[in-house]
Amino acid sequence: MAPQPIIALVHGACCGAGFGMALAADIRLVTPEAKMNVAMYKIGTTGGDMSISYFLPRLVGTSVAAEMMMTGRFMYGPRAVQTNLASEQGSSGIG
């Protein structure tokens, strides 16, 4: 446990090791443009890398975690909030 909270802000693509690091954060915030996936699936490995298989089911439940780890599909900002992967969705702040 770190002495301070770790906050991840996801804006754009968050895949592979970056996704694992975001999952390990205490608080995850996303923008509508955020998209996350278990990229390891696409090259034939599992979500066990970077502790994704540990953190993901604990955050979103086993069904959603299995879907992400077995298909490699992207999860976008709005669904991340619905599935409790992210705490809150903000605006992109661009433009």
Side-chain angles (χ1 to χ4, degrees):
M1 190 71 160
Q4 66 280 340
I6 306 300
I7 301 170
L9 174 60
V10 180
H11 174 72
C14 182
C15 309
F19 185 49
M21 291 172 64
L23 291 175
D26 298 309
I27 300 169
R28 284 160 304 285
L29 306 172
V30 295
T31 64
E33 295 82 12
K35 63 183 204 174
M36 300 155 272
N37 82 333
V38 180
M40 292 81 153
Y41 170 81
K42 301 289 187 177
I43 59 170
T45 62
T46 67
D49 300 322
M50 295 295 300
S51 300
I52 291 173
S53 62
Y54 176 82
F55 289 113
L56 191 57
R58 286 164 175 77
L59 294 169
V60 300
T62 55
S63 180
V64 175
E67 174 192 342
M68 290 188 75
M69 290 190 288
M70 293 180 189
T71 65
R73 290 187 194 133
F74 279 96
M75 180 181 290
Y76 295 89
R79 185 165 183 229
V81 175
Q82 291 172 348
T83 60
N84 295 322
L85 179 58
S87 303
E88 189 175 331
Q89 177 182 302
S91 63
S92 64
I94 297 175

